[in-house]
Amino acid sequence: MFGALTNSMQKLVAAFAGKKQLSEDNISEAVSQVRLALLDADVNYSVVKTFIKRVKDLALGDAVIKSVTPGQQFIKIVHDELVKLMGGGESAIQIADTKPSVIMMCGLQGSGKTTQCAKLAKYLKKNNQCHSPLLVACDLQRPAAVDQLKILGEQIGAPVFAIPGETDPVKVAKAALDLAKKNKHDVMIVDTAGRLHIDEKLMLELAELKEIVKPKEVLFVANATIGQDAVNTAAAFHKQIAITGTILTMLDGNAKGGAAISIREITGQPLKFEGVGEKLDDLQLFSPISMADRILGMGDTINLVRKAQEHIKEDDAKLLEKKLRSATFTYDDYLAQIQMVKKMGSFKSLLGMLPGMSSLKDMDFDEGEFFKVEAIIQSMTPNERLEKCELVVSRRHRIAKGSGTGIDQVNKLVKSFQRAKQMCKNMPNMKQLEKMMGGARWR
């Protein structure tokens, strides 16, 4: 995602970060580079024009030219203006007081509406939302759309309402409303029909559905891979049925991603969510700050922290920290940490979220090594995992055979584990640090 744009911006950041003096000439050159990078990433021309004017006006001000760190000030301006361009802050999903609160999904065929319906339902069920969503199959145009929604609903444990043989989506929506009220579903997510292109029949059908279900949210699903067409389509849908927000899909691919920057400015409606993978868990709140960080190659600490909070319990983290400080952690703790990291996503994706490490996500990491480490530790006896008995050669051969690995790999794991324990043991504690600092306390 944003590969070319991020590369261009990172080069700019590297070139300007250490500059101690800025002039009108090199600011104009830098702004020109930003302009070309945005246009190349498929950002709407009028959006680029407005953005560049704001950046240049701010960059040429005394606050930057006379700053102690003018290069960093310029980068901050670009970052802040990117954040403003994409909405400023996160925009949470709106749930009406009247139940059920209806969310209507719309977009062209192939944008991923049906999958996003299921992802959104799962998001509302978890993440401390505790909602009880009902999925409604009103896409009666695309073959197998109803069956697809039923399969996805079963996977996430959410009921799906459909009327076999019915061809009128309005009738399905009316019946679904009655069922949602009867079964006390507080949220109803309506999957609607799409087309290969915008036509009058599609818009009339959506307008009629909207009149019947009176949705609190009308979310436009935009495929980031289609570039400028996503922006034009979003504008057309907004004009006809007044969308309240956008879900960006396929941002995990090789999309130029200019739509992410353009849609908010063109429609005036917030970017609500972004799809970042194929799994039903791969939906997250769209954060303009996070996106600006990623574009400038500054990592994605916002979503990294969220993943950690979701998968790692605070008590477990504190217990591990205590064991690390006292160097008493065991192979069981080692295994638990690997399994926690795996729950958070692939090692490559997590690396890409770390500031300054975004380029490493493209390196060739063998994720299979994690499985080998798990297999080796799980082939140990309980006493071996707790280090109550020494891993002599005969035991290591047994572990290698049981895990389907080689003796060299077992030796490598044992060596790295012992090295990690030794490093933790040699780390100075707080009292030692204070002594090393001449008695000064850390604040």
Side-chain angles (χ1 to χ4, degrees):
M1 181 193 70
F2 290 128
L5 178 58
T6 299
N7 288 338
S8 299
M9 290 295 194
Q10 278 183 304
K11 287 177 184 175
L12 188 70
V13 168
F16 266 73
K19 280 194 179 288
K20 296 181 179 179
Q21 285 188 333
L22 289 183
S23 64
E24 187 170 344
D25 287 342
N26 56 24
I27 284 177
S28 295
E29 183 185 347
V31 167
S32 179
Q33 289 177 30
V34 173
R35 177 178 174 275
L36 288 173
L38 292 172
L39 289 173
D40 186 55
D42 241 356
V43 181
N44 182 274
Y45 175 75
S46 62
V47 173
V48 173
K49 190 176 178 181
T50 304
F51 175 81
I52 290 300
K53 185 179 184 305
R54 289 203 298 246
V55 169
K56 194 169 184 178
D57 288 346
L58 288 167
L60 290 172
D62 286 345
V64 173
I65 301 291
K66 295 180 180 178
S67 168
V68 176
T69 54
Q72 291 177 11
Q73 283 291 104
F74 176 76
I75 294 162
K76 184 179 184 302
I77 287 171
V78 174
H79 181 275
D80 291 349
E81 288 304 312
L82 279 172
V83 172
K84 286 180 186 176
L85 197 65
M86 294 182 285
E90 294 176 354
S91 181
I93 197 85
Q94 298 297 306
I95 303 296
D97 293 331
T98 306
K99 307 302 180 191
S101 180
V102 179
I103 301 168
M104 193 168 100
M105 309 285 268
C106 63
L108 294 182
Q109 191 170 309
S111 60
K113 288 190 310 300
T114 303
T115 304
Q116 300 311 311
C117 286
K119 284 185 175 184
L120 183 57
K122 187 166 187 180
Y123 176 87
L124 292 171
K125 281 167 65 72
K126 62 170 193 173
N127 295 331
N128 299 319
Q129 303 278 337
C130 300
H131 291 293
S132 173
L134 173 68
L135 291 164
V136 183
C138 284
D139 181 356
L140 308 179
Q141 296 290 327
R142 181 170 63 88
V146 175
D147 290 337
Q148 181 190 357
L149 192 63
K150 286 180 178 178
I151 291 169
L152 292 171
E154 188 176 341
Q155 288 176 5
I156 64 171
V160 176
F161 180 82
I163 301 178
E166 182 57 69
T167 58
D168 185 356
V170 174
K171 289 183 180 178
V172 175
K174 284 180 178 177
L177 270 175
D178 293 337
L179 182 72
K181 291 173 183 175
K182 179 183 176 182
N183 292 349
K184 297 183 179 179
H185 291 287
D186 61 342
V187 176
M188 187 172 104
I189 302 172
V190 182
D191 183 23
T192 66
R195 301 285 192 279
L196 293 175
H197 57 85
I198 297 169
D199 60 34
E200 188 177 351
K201 186 179 178 182
L202 168 65
M203 291 305 180
L204 287 173
E205 183 181 291
L206 290 173
E208 192 175 357
L209 264 176
K210 185 180 178 184
E211 182 64 30
I212 294 297
V213 299
K214 295 180 172 48
K216 180 68 175 178
E217 293 270 23
V218 179
L219 300 180
F220 173 73
V221 180
N223 183 335
T225 62
I226 64 175
Q228 284 298 305
D229 282 344
V231 182
N232 299 332
T233 306
F237 270 84
H238 184 53
K239 184 178 179 182
Q240 295 290 331
I241 59 170
I243 65 172
T244 60
T246 299
I247 297 178
L248 290 166
T249 67
M250 303 193 188
L251 282 175
D252 58 318
N254 295 320
K256 287 187 174 182
I261 302 173
S262 308
I263 288 178
R264 162 63 175 75
E265 186 82 355
I266 295 295
T267 64
Q269 299 304 311
L271 299 165
K272 296 266 186 178
F273 292 94
E274 56 178 314
V276 291
E278 295 180 359
K279 294 180 181 177
L280 294 175
D281 282 314
D282 294 335
L283 184 75
Q284 62 191 29
L285 269 178
F286 183 89
S287 167
I289 296 173
S290 164
M291 185 63 78
D293 287 348
R294 281 177 273 171
I295 290 172
L296 294 175
M298 298 175 179
D300 185 11
T301 52
I302 291 173
N303 286 309
L304 182 60
V305 169
R306 281 183 180 149
K307 280 180 178 286
Q309 288 174 337
E310 183 179 341
H311 295 290
I312 301 174
K313 294 178 181 177
E314 189 177 352
D315 290 343
D316 291 342
K318 286 180 178 178
L319 179 62
L320 178 66
E321 183 185 4
K322 186 177 179 181
K323 287 186 174 185
L324 285 172
R325 287 187 180 278
S326 59
T328 58
F329 64 97
T330 65
Y331 283 102
D332 278 329
D333 298 316
Y334 203 36
L335 180 63
Q337 290 311 298
I338 290 171
Q339 290 171 340
M340 278 184 194
V341 170
K342 281 175 62 181
K343 284 179 185 177
M344 289 171 65
S346 70
F347 191 60
K348 280 187 180 182
S349 67
L350 295 176
L351 265 182
M353 290 180 168
L354 295 171
M357 303 281 276
S358 57
S359 60
L360 293 182
K361 71 180 186 297
D362 297 323
M363 290 179 67
D364 188 21
F365 287 102
D366 185 5
E367 302 275 345
E369 290 299 319
F370 284 116
F371 293 104
K372 290 179 183 177
V373 170
E374 281 185 282
I376 290 170
I377 296 174
Q378 287 169 344
S379 296
M380 295 178 183
T381 65
N383 282 341
E384 286 170 345
R385 290 191 206 179
L386 296 173
E387 295 185 284
K388 290 184 177 179
C389 52
E390 188 181 348
L391 290 177
V392 294
V393 175
S394 59
R395 288 178 180 270
R396 295 190 188 194
H397 276 291
R398 190 204 78 243
I399 292 167
K401 190 175 180 180
S403 60
T405 60
I407 186 68
D408 289 343
Q409 289 168 315
V410 175
N411 290 339
K412 184 179 176 182
L413 171 64
V414 173
K415 196 172 182 180
S416 63
F417 177 77
Q418 294 298 339
R419 191 186 300 124
K421 284 195 76 169
Q422 190 61 41
M423 282 175 64
C424 291
K425 199 171 185 179
N426 292 339
M427 282 175 62
N429 58 34
M430 289 306 292
K431 287 183 179 179
Q432 289 171 322
L433 281 171
E434 286 172 22
K435 191 174 181 180
M436 288 162 61
M437 295 296 289
R441 293 192 62 83
W442 289 71
R443 300 186 186 278

